[in-house]
Amino acid sequence: MTTEQLLRPSPSPLQALSNTAWEARGLQVYIKRDDLLAPAIADPFCGNKWRKLQYNLAHILNQPERLPILTFGGPYSNHIAAVASAGRHFNIPTIGVIRGEVVTNPTLTKARTDGMQLHFIDRTTYRQKHTPEIQQQFLKQFGKVHLIPEGGTNALALKGCTALGKELAAQLPDMTHLLLACGTGGTLAGVTLGLEATNIEVLGISALKGNFLTREVEQLLNSQFDAIPTSWQIFTTFHHGGYAKAPKDLVRFINQFQTQYDIPLEPVYTGKVAWALDQLIAQNYFPEGSRVVLLHSGGLQGLVGGLMEI
Ligand SMILES: *Cc1c(COP(=O)(O)O)cnc(C)c1O
């Protein structure tokens, strides 16, 4: 695929999920297949990472000088793997600053294979990565770079997710609810701006324990003066024990979802959103006649070898 085709593919499909129990409640449920938005199957440059990097890459490719991208993440970060893969596709050198002691795992191995230079830093320094002092230090160590923050959430990332909101509104104009996974909340913030001040309710499902996300999304939205978001809220009760925790009942649910719909999910983000959808339907959260969309934000490269074992 050419650079142009990679950055401007056609809209990702919106598929109906047929389920007699949900239909009996008068609900129509769809899944937005952003996991298919990728240069190849199981490529980590996919899903919401594709949306968030799209305008960043276009901006970088427009610069006269080809500087490396420097970014940050934990050792299991989908964002790290996505940046590494995008760097390979677009011929941009990449540097990943990884939190904690030196480790190896499939995500980091893939990033390295995609040409990313990995640097591990201790957790204390990592927490200060966005302070001017530490950034000076990076500048000295790595020279001039394009800095992309942890999780890829910056203004250009929001712009990519705003485009996703607009794409969805065009595909399903009478959508009433959208459910999506939250890590930094950047995807949610961008999507709510793309849906503008409609009556569509965006429900963010936090993949992390804690209540800090609402404030962070508010801050992200406050940085966008010229747009009014649709209504949104974040649920903090579907994390299943915390980030990347995957208890057996969640794994069983994901395997069942795959068997029923032939759509793979992963336990860190999308499995938790599908679970939340199922639970909220059972709790009668959605009024009869609702048209609910589940966002498949990708993340499948972390799954090695198909169905997960329980
Ligand atoms: C990174 C990631 C998220 C979280 O996105 P944020 O914009 O940080 O909230 C959600 N889903 C998947 C599959 C991801 O890889």
Side-chain angles (χ1 to χ4, degrees):
M1 264 197 264
T2 64
T3 299
E4 185 65 17
Q5 284 167 332
L6 265 183
L7 288 179
R8 298 193 197 292
S10 40
S12 71
L14 184 71
Q15 275 172 246
L17 289 179
S18 114
N19 177 310
T20 43
W22 298 347
E23 278 143 27
R25 290 169 183 268
L27 304 177
Q28 286 178 31
V29 181
Y30 301 83
I31 186 164
K32 173 70 168 163
R33 298 294 305 275
D34 263 13
D35 55 313
L36 301 178
L37 204 54
I41 288 171
D43 191 305
F45 175 48
C46 75
N48 74 334
K49 300 305 182 282
W50 186 94
R51 300 274 183 193
K52 292 171 87 170
L53 287 171
Q54 175 189 16
Y55 288 102
N56 279 289
L57 292 165
H59 168 77
I60 289 166
L61 293 168
N62 263 329
Q63 305 297 310
E65 206 182 346
R66 189 54 47 88
L67 301 176
I69 298 174
L70 182 132
T71 194
F72 307 91
Y76 292 92
S77 161
N78 288 341
H79 166 68
I80 285 290
V83 169
S85 169
R88 179 169 61 83
H89 286 294
F90 295 100
N91 229 340
I92 306 168
T94 56
I95 304 165
V97 175
I98 312 297
R99 182 188 65 231
E101 56 287 351
V102 179
V103 287
T104 188
N105 63 38
T107 300
L108 294 179
T109 302
K110 174 82 172 86
R112 226 184 235 120
T113 310
D114 282 336
M116 183 176 259
Q117 241 188 76
L118 299 180
H119 293 269
F120 294 82
I121 61 171
D122 66 85
R123 285 161 187 275
T124 314
T125 315
Y126 188 86
R127 267 197 295 276
Q128 298 160 3
K129 61 190 171 301
H130 295 140
T131 62
E133 296 76 28
I134 300 292
Q135 302 232 330
Q136 264 320 105
Q137 199 177 304
F138 289 146
L139 191 67
K140 245 193 244 149
Q141 191 174 353
F142 302 113
K144 263 170 72 181
V145 294
H146 286 288
L147 210 82
I148 297 185
E150 182 177 35
T153 295
N154 59 12
L156 290 171
L158 255 54
K159 190 173 164 187
C161 297
T162 297
L164 162 60
K166 289 188 192 305
E167 191 177 303
L168 262 171
Q171 281 175 316
L172 193 66
D174 55 2
M175 165 172 63
T176 56
H177 301 81
L178 171 65
L179 270 80
L180 51 85
C182 292
T184 63
T187 302
L188 181 134
V191 164
T192 60
L193 293 170
L195 293 173
E196 301 175 88
T198 50
N199 288 325
I200 300 163
E201 224 185 293
V202 179
L203 310 177
I205 308 302
S206 179
L208 299 86
K209 218 189 251 182
N211 287 319
F212 51 90
L213 264 176
T214 299
R215 203 182 55 238
E216 292 193 359
V217 171
E218 275 164 3
Q219 274 165 8
L220 286 171
L221 290 173
N222 285 341
S223 68
Q224 308 289 312
F225 315 104
D226 52 352
I228 301 169
T230 192
S231 65
W232 59 275
Q233 63 171 308
I234 292 176
F235 288 85
T236 54
T237 50
F238 295 110
H239 55 68
H240 287 259
Y243 183 71
K245 295 276 192 296
K248 281 196 176 116
D249 53 353
L250 176 65
V251 174
R252 214 176 283 124
F253 174 84
I254 290 171
N255 287 340
Q256 198 199 320
F257 189 96
Q258 164 139 18
T259 309
Q260 190 169 352
Y261 300 111
D262 200 22
I263 298 173
L265 302 172
E266 45 67 53
V268 182
Y269 294 105
T270 52
K272 290 179 182 177
V273 179
W275 171 289
L277 170 69
D278 196 57
Q279 292 289 308
L280 290 171
I281 291 176
Q283 293 163 19
N284 266 324
Y285 180 88
F286 304 102
E288 202 180 324
S290 296
R291 286 179 172 73
V292 185
V293 177
L294 175 70
L295 174 65
H296 196 319
S297 44
L300 297 170
Q301 83 283 347
L303 276 187
V304 189
L307 286 189
M308 283 176 297
E309 284 180 43
I310 49 171

